[in-house]
Amino acid sequence: MKAPIPKRGPYLITTRQSGLTDTERLELQEAWVEQVERFRARGAIVGVTTQDVTDSFATRTLRSLARPLLLCIRPEVASATVAPGLDSMRSLGQSARAPEEALPVPGWRRAGIERHV
Amino acid sequence: MSDVVRVVIRSDGDIVTARQQARVLARELGFSSSDLTLIVTALSELARNIVEYAGCGEILLSRTQQGDRCGIVITARDQGPGIVDVERAMRNGYSTGKGLGLGLPGTKRLMDEFEIASGAGQGTIIRITKWVR
């Protein structure tokens, strides 16, 4: 299981596909942590728009990716982060900031990324 | 209408299969995408409990109808060691495992109905239901 991890300035970028098993998630996580340490990344941009599940395992791996973290997430998954019962997700949802505040990248605003938090 | 989808749960790959099957059925029934996410999340927790605590078991997926409304029923069944104190397991913050899951109370809150039958040495059956809104 491999996922490309390109760099954008001081940030690392990656995606998570759907249908990953717990074992595959852990493998990706290990490869990711290695890269974060190697490049001394100051933050991460992670696309999980194909991910449709907010179970504890998925959440835990997302939370441990890096700080700050810009998470590209589906609206229904984002709304599930504050659903009753999903306490582990809630801390993720509650710590949300506007993207340009969380991860300052020149051109965010021009790219049409707006505040939705 | 009485079709039941059965997924044997032995490994984490089976959890993914069960999630995909639940998603197909829930979408057919007309659940919103946010409910779909909650259903798949609840199922994922129950399936992972089977792998973690019992080693193997099964997930049954079916539709249910009550008057005008329809819903999805997910049954998680195993012949594992069972839960010694069900009442305690249903309390927030209680776990005998690694304690990293949502726990049974968390899973319950994601759904509309939650039934459990378990006891030491008797295995565990959990049935959860969500109705289409």
Side-chain angles (χ1 to χ4, degrees), chain B residues 39-85:
Chain B
I39 291 165
V40 173
T41 298
L43 171 134
S44 200
E45 296 296 325
L46 295 185
R48 192 171 292 109
N49 280 351
I50 291 178
V51 175
E52 188 176 333
Y53 294 100
C56 69
E58 60 183 6
I59 295 275
L60 306 172
L61 307 166
S62 60
R63 57 182 74 198
T64 181
Q65 187 98 31
Q66 202 176 75
D68 283 347
R69 62 179 188 167
C70 66
I72 186 169
V73 182
I74 299 168
T75 307
R77 194 155 67 180
D78 68 66
Q79 300 292 320
I83 301 168
V84 179
D85 189 341

Side-chain angles (χ1 to χ4, degrees), chain A residues 5-52:
Chain A
I5 308 179
K7 269 186 85 192
R8 168 80 157 87
Y11 307 127
L12 286 176
I13 307 172
T14 194
T15 57
R16 288 285 179 271
Q17 67 200 77
S18 63
L20 291 175
T21 66
D22 294 355
T23 311
E24 288 165 339
R25 273 190 230 268
L26 281 179
E27 284 169 14
L28 286 173
Q29 193 73 2
E30 277 167 27
W32 170 263
V33 168
E34 240 169 60
Q35 293 299 91
V36 168
E37 283 171 6
R38 189 166 153 217
F39 291 111
R40 303 208 172 110
R42 295 217 313 267
I45 302 168
V46 180
V48 288
T49 46
T50 57
Q51 191 164 300
D52 52 14

Side-chain angles (χ1 to χ4, degrees), chain A residues 30-109:
Chain A
E30 277 167 27
W32 170 263
V33 168
E34 240 169 60
Q35 293 299 91
V36 168
E37 283 171 6
R38 189 166 153 217
F39 291 111
R40 303 208 172 110
R42 295 217 313 267
I45 302 168
V46 180
V48 288
T49 46
T50 57
Q51 191 164 300
D52 52 14
V53 66
T54 52
D55 66 17
S56 49
F57 202 90
T59 314
R60 193 149 36 88
T61 45
L62 287 182
R63 279 165 46 146
S64 61
L65 281 174
R67 285 287 187 276
L69 172 68
L70 180 64
L71 209 53
C72 315
I73 200 169
R74 285 157 79 120
E76 63 269 26
V77 173
S79 72
T81 62
V82 289
L86 285 177
D87 299 340
S88 59
M89 266 316 252
R90 197 175 305 163
S91 63
L92 196 66
Q94 283 172 342
S95 60
R97 301 270 179 286
E100 71 274 14
E101 274 174 37
L103 227 57
V105 174
W108 265 155
R109 284 184 185 282

